[in-house]
Amino acid sequence: MSRPIYLAIALIVCGATVTLFTFARAPRSQEFAGWDVAFMGGLGAIALGFLTTLVEVVTG
């Protein structure tokens, strides 16, 4: 595997860690908070990592 794929997998793992941590630890409320930003940032990191891996695999 190449370096971009390793970095993409690391990005996926970090994003999943942030997402799971914020989902498990965030207080339940109706107000928008920093926890929500962290949760969405984690999901974005996962999506970016998967997209990077897909592009790298397809383009070779």
CSV table of all heavy atoms in Angstrom, one decimal:
chain,number,residue,atom,x,y,z
A,1,MET,N,0.8,-1.2,0.0
A,1,MET,CA,0.0,0.0,0.0
A,1,MET,C,0.9,1.2,0.0
A,1,MET,O,2.0,1.2,0.5
A,1,MET,CB,-0.9,0.0,1.2
A,1,MET,CG,-2.0,-1.0,1.2
A,1,MET,SD,-3.4,-0.7,2.3
A,1,MET,CE,-2.6,-1.0,3.9
A,2,SER,N,0.3,2.3,-0.6
A,2,SER,CA,1.1,3.5,-0.7
A,2,SER,C,0.8,4.4,0.5
A,2,SER,O,-0.1,4.2,1.3
A,2,SER,CB,0.7,4.2,-1.9
A,2,SER,OG,-0.6,4.6,-1.9
A,3,ARG,N,1.6,5.5,0.6
A,3,ARG,CA,1.5,6.4,1.8
A,3,ARG,C,0.2,7.1,1.8
A,3,ARG,O,-0.4,7.2,2.9
A,3,ARG,CB,2.6,7.4,1.7
A,3,ARG,CG,2.5,8.5,2.8
A,3,ARG,CD,3.7,9.4,2.8
A,3,ARG,NE,4.8,8.7,3.5
A,3,ARG,CZ,5.9,9.3,3.8
A,3,ARG,NH1,6.2,10.5,3.4
A,3,ARG,NH2,6.8,8.7,4.5
A,4,PRO,N,-0.4,7.5,0.7
A,4,PRO,CA,-1.8,8.2,0.8
A,4,PRO,C,-2.8,7.2,1.4
A,4,PRO,O,-3.7,7.7,2.1
A,4,PRO,CB,-2.1,8.5,-0.6
A,4,PRO,CG,-0.8,8.7,-1.3
A,4,PRO,CD,0.1,7.7,-0.7
A,5,ILE,N,-2.7,5.9,1.1
A,5,ILE,CA,-3.7,5.0,1.6
A,5,ILE,C,-3.5,4.9,3.1
A,5,ILE,O,-4.5,4.8,3.9
A,5,ILE,CB,-3.7,3.7,0.9
A,5,ILE,CG1,-4.2,3.8,-0.5
A,5,ILE,CG2,-4.4,2.6,1.7
A,5,ILE,CD1,-4.3,2.6,-1.3
A,6,TYR,N,-2.3,4.8,3.6
A,6,TYR,CA,-2.0,4.7,5.0
A,6,TYR,C,-2.5,6.0,5.7
A,6,TYR,O,-3.1,5.9,6.8
A,6,TYR,CB,-0.5,4.6,5.3
A,6,TYR,CG,0.0,3.2,5.1
A,6,TYR,CD1,1.2,3.0,4.3
A,6,TYR,CD2,-0.6,2.1,5.6
A,6,TYR,CE1,1.7,1.8,4.0
A,6,TYR,CE2,-0.1,0.8,5.4
A,6,TYR,CZ,1.1,0.7,4.6
A,6,TYR,OH,1.6,-0.6,4.4
A,7,LEU,N,-2.3,7.2,5.1
A,7,LEU,CA,-2.8,8.4,5.7
A,7,LEU,C,-4.3,8.4,5.7
A,7,LEU,O,-5.0,8.9,6.7
A,7,LEU,CB,-2.3,9.6,5.0
A,7,LEU,CG,-0.8,9.8,5.1
A,7,LEU,CD1,-0.3,11.0,4.2
A,7,LEU,CD2,-0.4,10.1,6.5
A,8,ALA,N,-5.0,7.9,4.7
A,8,ALA,CA,-6.4,7.9,4.6
A,8,ALA,C,-7.0,7.0,5.7
A,8,ALA,O,-8.0,7.3,6.3
A,8,ALA,CB,-6.9,7.5,3.2
A,9,ILE,N,-6.4,5.8,5.9
A,9,ILE,CA,-6.8,4.9,6.9
A,9,ILE,C,-6.6,5.5,8.3
A,9,ILE,O,-7.5,5.4,9.2
A,9,ILE,CB,-6.1,3.5,6.8
A,9,ILE,CG1,-6.5,2.8,5.5
A,9,ILE,CG2,-6.3,2.7,8.0
A,9,ILE,CD1,-5.8,1.6,5.1
A,10,ALA,N,-5.5,6.2,8.5
A,10,ALA,CA,-5.3,6.9,9.8
A,10,ALA,C,-6.4,8.0,10.0
A,10,ALA,O,-6.9,8.1,11.1
A,10,ALA,CB,-3.9,7.5,9.8
A,11,LEU,N,-6.8,8.7,8.9
A,11,LEU,CA,-7.8,9.7,9.0
A,11,LEU,C,-9.2,9.0,9.4
A,11,LEU,O,-9.9,9.6,10.2
A,11,LEU,CB,-7.9,10.4,7.7
A,11,LEU,CG,-8.9,11.6,7.6
A,11,LEU,CD1,-8.4,12.7,8.6
A,11,LEU,CD2,-8.9,12.2,6.2
A,12,ILE,N,-9.4,7.9,8.8
A,12,ILE,CA,-10.7,7.2,9.1
A,12,ILE,C,-10.7,6.8,10.6
A,12,ILE,O,-11.7,6.9,11.2
A,12,ILE,CB,-10.9,6.0,8.2
A,12,ILE,CG1,-11.1,6.4,6.7
A,12,ILE,CG2,-12.0,5.1,8.6
A,12,ILE,CD1,-11.0,5.3,5.7
A,13,VAL,N,-9.6,6.2,11.0
A,13,VAL,CA,-9.6,5.8,12.4
A,13,VAL,C,-9.7,6.9,13.4
A,13,VAL,O,-10.5,6.9,14.4
A,13,VAL,CB,-8.2,5.0,12.7
A,13,VAL,CG1,-8.0,4.7,14.2
A,13,VAL,CG2,-8.2,3.7,11.9
A,14,CYS,N,-9.0,8.0,13.1
A,14,CYS,CA,-9.1,9.2,14.0
A,14,CYS,C,-10.6,9.8,14.0
A,14,CYS,O,-11.1,10.2,15.0
A,14,CYS,CB,-8.1,10.3,13.6
A,14,CYS,SG,-6.4,9.9,13.9
A,15,GLY,N,-11.1,9.9,12.8
A,15,GLY,CA,-12.5,10.4,12.7
A,15,GLY,C,-13.5,9.5,13.4
A,15,GLY,O,-14.4,10.0,14.1
A,16,ALA,N,-13.3,8.2,13.3
A,16,ALA,CA,-14.2,7.2,14.0
A,16,ALA,C,-14.0,7.4,15.5
A,16,ALA,O,-15.0,7.3,16.3
A,16,ALA,CB,-13.9,5.8,13.5
A,17,THR,N,-12.8,7.5,16.0
A,17,THR,CA,-12.6,7.7,17.4
A,17,THR,C,-13.3,9.0,17.9
A,17,THR,O,-13.9,8.9,19.0
A,17,THR,CB,-11.1,7.8,17.7
A,17,THR,OG1,-10.4,6.6,17.2
A,17,THR,CG2,-10.8,7.9,19.1
A,18,VAL,N,-13.1,10.1,17.2
A,18,VAL,CA,-13.7,11.3,17.6
A,18,VAL,C,-15.3,11.2,17.6
A,18,VAL,O,-15.9,11.6,18.6
A,18,VAL,CB,-13.3,12.5,16.7
A,18,VAL,CG1,-14.2,13.7,16.9
A,18,VAL,CG2,-11.8,12.8,16.9
A,19,THR,N,-15.8,10.6,16.6
A,19,THR,CA,-17.3,10.4,16.5
A,19,THR,C,-17.8,9.5,17.6
A,19,THR,O,-18.8,9.9,18.2
A,19,THR,CB,-17.6,9.8,15.1
A,19,THR,OG1,-17.1,10.7,14.1
A,19,THR,CG2,-19.1,9.7,15.0
A,20,LEU,N,-17.2,8.4,17.8
A,20,LEU,CA,-17.6,7.5,18.9
A,20,LEU,C,-17.5,8.1,20.3
A,20,LEU,O,-18.4,8.0,21.1
A,20,LEU,CB,-16.9,6.2,18.8
A,20,LEU,CG,-17.2,5.3,17.6
A,20,LEU,CD1,-16.4,4.1,17.5
A,20,LEU,CD2,-18.7,5.0,17.6
A,21,PHE,N,-16.4,8.8,20.5
A,21,PHE,CA,-16.2,9.5,21.8
A,21,PHE,C,-17.3,10.5,22.0
A,21,PHE,O,-17.9,10.6,23.1
A,21,PHE,CB,-14.8,10.1,21.9
A,21,PHE,CG,-14.5,10.8,23.2
A,21,PHE,CD1,-14.2,10.1,24.3
A,21,PHE,CD2,-14.6,12.2,23.3
A,21,PHE,CE1,-14.0,10.7,25.5
A,21,PHE,CE2,-14.4,12.8,24.5
A,21,PHE,CZ,-14.1,12.1,25.6
A,22,THR,N,-17.5,11.4,21.1
A,22,THR,CA,-18.5,12.4,21.3
A,22,THR,C,-19.9,11.9,21.4
A,22,THR,O,-20.7,12.4,22.1
A,22,THR,CB,-18.5,13.5,20.1
A,22,THR,OG1,-18.6,12.9,18.9
A,22,THR,CG2,-17.2,14.3,20.2
A,23,PHE,N,-20.2,10.8,20.6
A,23,PHE,CA,-21.5,10.2,20.7
A,23,PHE,C,-21.8,9.6,22.1
A,23,PHE,O,-22.9,9.7,22.6
A,23,PHE,CB,-21.7,9.1,19.6
A,23,PHE,CG,-23.1,8.5,19.6
A,23,PHE,CD1,-24.1,9.3,19.0
A,23,PHE,CD2,-23.3,7.3,20.0
A,23,PHE,CE1,-25.4,8.7,19.0
A,23,PHE,CE2,-24.6,6.7,20.0
A,23,PHE,CZ,-25.6,7.5,19.4
A,24,ALA,N,-20.7,9.0,22.7
A,24,ALA,CA,-20.9,8.3,23.9
A,24,ALA,C,-20.8,9.3,25.1
A,24,ALA,O,-21.5,9.1,26.1
A,24,ALA,CB,-19.8,7.3,24.1
A,25,ARG,N,-20.0,10.4,25.0
A,25,ARG,CA,-19.8,11.2,26.2
A,25,ARG,C,-20.6,12.6,26.2
A,25,ARG,O,-20.6,13.2,27.2
A,25,ARG,CB,-18.3,11.6,26.2
A,25,ARG,CG,-17.4,10.4,26.3
A,25,ARG,CD,-17.4,9.8,27.7
A,25,ARG,NE,-16.4,8.7,27.7
A,25,ARG,CZ,-16.5,7.7,28.5
A,25,ARG,NH1,-17.5,7.6,29.3
A,25,ARG,NH2,-15.6,6.8,28.5
A,26,ALA,N,-21.1,13.0,25.0
A,26,ALA,CA,-21.8,14.3,24.9
A,26,ALA,C,-23.1,14.3,25.8
A,26,ALA,O,-23.8,13.3,25.8
A,26,ALA,CB,-22.1,14.6,23.5
A,27,PRO,N,-23.3,15.4,26.5
A,27,PRO,CA,-24.5,15.5,27.2
A,27,PRO,C,-25.7,15.7,26.3
A,27,PRO,O,-25.6,16.2,25.2
A,27,PRO,CB,-24.3,16.8,28.1
A,27,PRO,CG,-23.3,17.6,27.3
A,27,PRO,CD,-22.4,16.6,26.6
A,28,ARG,N,-26.9,15.2,26.7
A,28,ARG,CA,-28.1,15.2,25.8
A,28,ARG,C,-28.8,16.6,26.1
A,28,ARG,O,-29.2,16.8,27.2
A,28,ARG,CB,-29.0,14.1,26.2
A,28,ARG,CG,-28.4,12.7,26.1
A,28,ARG,CD,-28.1,12.3,24.6
A,28,ARG,NE,-27.7,11.0,24.5
A,28,ARG,CZ,-26.5,10.6,24.1
A,28,ARG,NH1,-25.6,11.5,23.8
A,28,ARG,NH2,-26.2,9.3,24.0
A,29,SER,N,-28.9,17.4,25.1
A,29,SER,CA,-29.6,18.7,25.2
A,29,SER,C,-30.1,19.1,23.8
A,29,SER,O,-29.6,18.5,22.8
A,29,SER,CB,-28.7,19.7,25.8
A,29,SER,OG,-27.7,20.1,24.9
A,30,GLN,N,-30.9,20.1,23.8
A,30,GLN,CA,-31.5,20.5,22.5
A,30,GLN,C,-30.7,21.7,22.0
A,30,GLN,O,-30.9,22.2,20.9
A,30,GLN,CB,-32.9,21.0,22.7
A,30,GLN,CG,-33.9,19.9,23.2
A,30,GLN,CD,-34.0,18.8,22.1
A,30,GLN,OE1,-33.8,19.1,20.9
A,30,GLN,NE2,-34.3,17.6,22.5
A,31,GLU,N,-29.7,22.2,22.7
A,31,GLU,CA,-28.9,23.3,22.3
A,31,GLU,C,-27.7,22.9,21.5
A,31,GLU,O,-27.2,21.8,21.7
A,31,GLU,CB,-28.4,24.1,23.5
A,31,GLU,CG,-29.6,24.7,24.3
A,31,GLU,CD,-29.1,25.4,25.5
A,31,GLU,OE1,-27.8,25.6,25.7
A,31,GLU,OE2,-29.9,25.8,26.4
A,32,PHE,N,-27.3,23.7,20.5
A,32,PHE,CA,-26.1,23.4,19.7
A,32,PHE,C,-24.9,23.7,20.5
A,32,PHE,O,-24.8,24.7,21.2
A,32,PHE,CB,-26.2,24.3,18.4
A,32,PHE,CG,-25.1,23.9,17.4
A,32,PHE,CD1,-25.2,22.8,16.6
A,32,PHE,CD2,-24.0,24.7,17.3
A,32,PHE,CE1,-24.3,22.5,15.7
A,32,PHE,CE2,-23.0,24.4,16.4
A,32,PHE,CZ,-23.2,23.2,15.6
A,33,ALA,N,-24.0,22.7,20.5
A,33,ALA,CA,-22.8,22.9,21.3
A,33,ALA,C,-21.5,22.4,20.6
A,33,ALA,O,-21.6,21.9,19.4
A,33,ALA,CB,-22.9,22.1,22.6
A,34,GLY,N,-20.4,22.5,21.2
A,34,GLY,CA,-19.1,22.1,20.6
A,34,GLY,C,-19.1,20.6,20.4
A,34,GLY,O,-18.4,20.1,19.5
A,35,TRP,N,-19.9,19.9,21.2
A,35,TRP,CA,-19.9,18.4,21.0
A,35,TRP,C,-20.5,18.1,19.6
A,35,TRP,O,-20.0,17.1,18.9
A,35,TRP,CB,-20.8,17.8,22.0
A,35,TRP,CG,-20.2,17.8,23.4
A,35,TRP,CD1,-20.5,18.7,24.4
A,35,TRP,CD2,-19.2,16.9,23.9
A,35,TRP,NE1,-19.8,18.4,25.5
A,35,TRP,CE2,-18.9,17.3,25.3
A,35,TRP,CE3,-18.4,15.9,23.4
A,35,TRP,CZ2,-18.0,16.7,26.1
A,35,TRP,CZ3,-17.5,15.3,24.2
A,35,TRP,CH2,-17.3,15.7,25.5
A,36,ASP,N,-21.5,18.9,19.2
A,36,ASP,CA,-22.1,18.7,17.9
A,36,ASP,C,-21.0,18.9,16.7
A,36,ASP,O,-21.0,18.2,15.8
A,36,ASP,CB,-23.3,19.6,17.7
A,36,ASP,CG,-24.3,19.3,18.7
A,36,ASP,OD1,-24.5,18.1,19.0
A,36,ASP,OD2,-25.0,20.3,19.1
A,37,VAL,N,-20.2,19.9,16.9
A,37,VAL,CA,-19.2,20.3,15.9
A,37,VAL,C,-18.2,19.1,15.9
A,37,VAL,O,-17.7,18.7,14.8
A,37,VAL,CB,-18.5,21.6,16.3
A,37,VAL,CG1,-17.4,21.9,15.3
A,37,VAL,CG2,-19.5,22.7,16.2
A,38,ALA,N,-17.8,18.6,17.0
A,38,ALA,CA,-16.8,17.5,17.1
A,38,ALA,C,-17.4,16.3,16.4
A,38,ALA,O,-16.7,15.6,15.7
A,38,ALA,CB,-16.4,17.2,18.5
A,39,PHE,N,-18.7,16.0,16.7
A,39,PHE,CA,-19.3,14.8,16.1
A,39,PHE,C,-19.3,14.9,14.6
A,39,PHE,O,-19.0,14.0,13.9
A,39,PHE,CB,-20.7,14.7,16.7
A,39,PHE,CG,-21.5,13.5,16.2
A,39,PHE,CD1,-21.2,12.2,16.6
A,39,PHE,CD2,-22.5,13.6,15.2
A,39,PHE,CE1,-21.9,11.1,16.2
A,39,PHE,CE2,-23.1,12.5,14.7
A,39,PHE,CZ,-22.9,11.3,15.2
A,40,MET,N,-19.8,16.1,14.1
A,40,MET,CA,-19.8,16.3,12.6
A,40,MET,C,-18.4,16.3,12.0
A,40,MET,O,-18.2,15.8,10.9
A,40,MET,CB,-20.6,17.5,12.3
A,40,MET,CG,-22.1,17.5,12.7
A,40,MET,SD,-22.9,16.0,12.0
A,40,MET,CE,-22.9,16.4,10.3
A,41,GLY,N,-17.5,16.8,12.7
A,41,GLY,CA,-16.1,16.8,12.2
A,41,GLY,C,-15.5,15.4,12.1
A,41,GLY,O,-14.8,15.1,11.2
A,42,GLY,N,-15.9,14.6,13.1
A,42,GLY,CA,-15.5,13.2,13.0
A,42,GLY,C,-16.1,12.4,11.8
A,42,GLY,O,-15.4,11.7,11.1
A,43,LEU,N,-17.4,12.7,11.6
A,43,LEU,CA,-18.1,12.1,10.4
A,43,LEU,C,-17.4,12.6,9.1
A,43,LEU,O,-17.2,11.9,8.2
A,43,LEU,CB,-19.6,12.4,10.4
A,43,LEU,CG,-20.4,11.8,11.5
A,43,LEU,CD1,-21.8,12.2,11.4
A,43,LEU,CD2,-20.3,10.3,11.4
A,44,GLY,N,-17.1,13.9,9.1
A,44,GLY,CA,-16.4,14.5,7.9
A,44,GLY,C,-15.1,13.8,7.7
A,44,GLY,O,-14.7,13.6,6.5
A,45,ALA,N,-14.3,13.6,8.7
A,45,ALA,CA,-13.0,13.0,8.6
A,45,ALA,C,-13.1,11.5,8.1
A,45,ALA,O,-12.3,11.1,7.2
A,45,ALA,CB,-12.3,13.0,9.9
A,46,ILE,N,-14.2,10.8,8.5
A,46,ILE,CA,-14.4,9.5,8.0
A,46,ILE,C,-14.7,9.5,6.6
A,46,ILE,O,-14.2,8.7,5.8
A,46,ILE,CB,-15.5,8.8,8.8
A,46,ILE,CG1,-15.1,8.5,10.3
A,46,ILE,CG2,-15.9,7.5,8.2
A,46,ILE,CD1,-16.2,8.1,11.2
A,47,ALA,N,-15.6,10.4,6.2
A,47,ALA,CA,-16.0,10.5,4.8
A,47,ALA,C,-14.8,10.9,3.9
A,47,ALA,O,-14.6,10.3,2.8
A,47,ALA,CB,-17.1,11.5,4.6
A,48,LEU,N,-14.0,11.8,4.3
A,48,LEU,CA,-12.8,12.3,3.6
A,48,LEU,C,-11.8,11.1,3.4
A,48,LEU,O,-11.2,10.9,2.4
A,48,LEU,CB,-12.2,13.5,4.3
A,48,LEU,CG,-11.0,14.1,3.5
A,48,LEU,CD1,-11.4,14.6,2.2
A,48,LEU,CD2,-10.4,15.2,4.4
A,49,GLY,N,-11.6,10.4,4.5
A,49,GLY,CA,-10.7,9.2,4.4
A,49,GLY,C,-11.2,8.2,3.5
A,49,GLY,O,-10.4,7.6,2.7
A,50,PHE,N,-12.5,7.8,3.5
A,50,PHE,CA,-13.0,6.9,2.5
A,50,PHE,C,-12.9,7.4,1.1
A,50,PHE,O,-12.6,6.6,0.2
A,50,PHE,CB,-14.5,6.5,2.9
A,50,PHE,CG,-14.7,5.5,3.9
A,50,PHE,CD1,-15.4,5.7,5.1
A,50,PHE,CD2,-14.1,4.2,3.8
A,50,PHE,CE1,-15.5,4.8,6.0
A,50,PHE,CE2,-14.2,3.3,4.7
A,50,PHE,CZ,-15.0,3.5,5.9
A,51,LEU,N,-13.2,8.6,0.9
A,51,LEU,CA,-13.1,9.2,-0.4
A,51,LEU,C,-11.7,9.2,-0.9
A,51,LEU,O,-11.4,8.8,-2.1
A,51,LEU,CB,-13.6,10.6,-0.5
A,51,LEU,CG,-13.6,11.4,-1.8
A,51,LEU,CD1,-14.5,10.6,-2.8
A,51,LEU,CD2,-14.1,12.8,-1.6
A,52,THR,N,-10.7,9.5,-0.1
A,52,THR,CA,-9.3,9.5,-0.5
A,52,THR,C,-8.9,8.1,-0.8
A,52,THR,O,-8.2,7.8,-1.8
A,52,THR,CB,-8.4,10.0,0.7
A,52,THR,OG1,-8.9,11.3,1.0
A,52,THR,CG2,-7.0,10.1,0.3
A,53,THR,N,-9.3,7.1,0.0
A,53,THR,CA,-9.0,5.7,-0.3
A,53,THR,C,-9.6,5.3,-1.6
A,53,THR,O,-8.9,4.6,-2.4
A,53,THR,CB,-9.5,4.8,0.8
A,53,THR,OG1,-9.0,5.3,2.1
A,53,THR,CG2,-9.1,3.4,0.6
A,54,LEU,N,-10.8,5.6,-1.9
A,54,LEU,CA,-11.5,5.3,-3.1
A,54,LEU,C,-10.8,5.9,-4.3
A,54,LEU,O,-10.5,5.2,-5.3
A,54,LEU,CB,-12.9,5.7,-3.1
A,54,LEU,CG,-13.8,5.4,-4.3
A,54,LEU,CD1,-13.9,3.9,-4.5
A,54,LEU,CD2,-15.1,6.1,-4.2
A,55,VAL,N,-10.4,7.1,-4.2
A,55,VAL,CA,-9.7,7.8,-5.4
A,55,VAL,C,-8.4,7.1,-5.6
A,55,VAL,O,-8.0,6.9,-6.7
A,55,VAL,CB,-9.6,9.3,-5.1
A,55,VAL,CG1,-8.6,10.0,-6.1
A,55,VAL,CG2,-11.0,10.0,-5.2
A,56,GLU,N,-7.7,6.9,-4.5
A,56,GLU,CA,-6.3,6.2,-4.7
A,56,GLU,C,-6.4,4.9,-5.3
A,56,GLU,O,-5.6,4.5,-6.1
A,56,GLU,CB,-5.7,6.2,-3.3
A,56,GLU,CG,-4.3,5.6,-3.3
A,56,GLU,CD,-3.3,6.5,-4.0
A,56,GLU,OE1,-3.5,7.7,-4.1
A,56,GLU,OE2,-2.3,6.0,-4.6
A,57,VAL,N,-7.4,4.1,-4.9
A,57,VAL,CA,-7.6,2.7,-5.4
A,57,VAL,C,-8.0,2.8,-6.9
A,57,VAL,O,-7.5,2.0,-7.7
A,57,VAL,CB,-8.6,1.9,-4.6
A,57,VAL,CG1,-9.0,0.7,-5.3
A,57,VAL,CG2,-8.0,1.6,-3.2
A,58,VAL,N,-8.9,3.7,-7.2
A,58,VAL,CA,-9.4,3.8,-8.6
A,58,VAL,C,-8.3,4.3,-9.6
A,58,VAL,O,-8.1,3.8,-10.7
A,58,VAL,CB,-10.7,4.7,-8.7
A,58,VAL,CG1,-11.1,5.0,-10.1
A,58,VAL,CG2,-11.8,4.0,-8.0
A,59,THR,N,-7.6,5.4,-9.1
A,59,THR,CA,-6.6,6.0,-10.0
A,59,THR,C,-5.3,5.2,-10.0
A,59,THR,O,-4.4,5.5,-10.8
A,59,THR,CB,-6.4,7.4,-9.6
A,59,THR,OG1,-5.9,7.5,-8.3
A,59,THR,CG2,-7.6,8.2,-9.8
A,60,GLY,N,-5.1,4.4,-9.0
A,60,GLY,CA,-3.9,3.5,-8.9
A,60,GLY,C,-2.7,4.2,-8.4
A,60,GLY,O,-1.6,4.0,-8.4
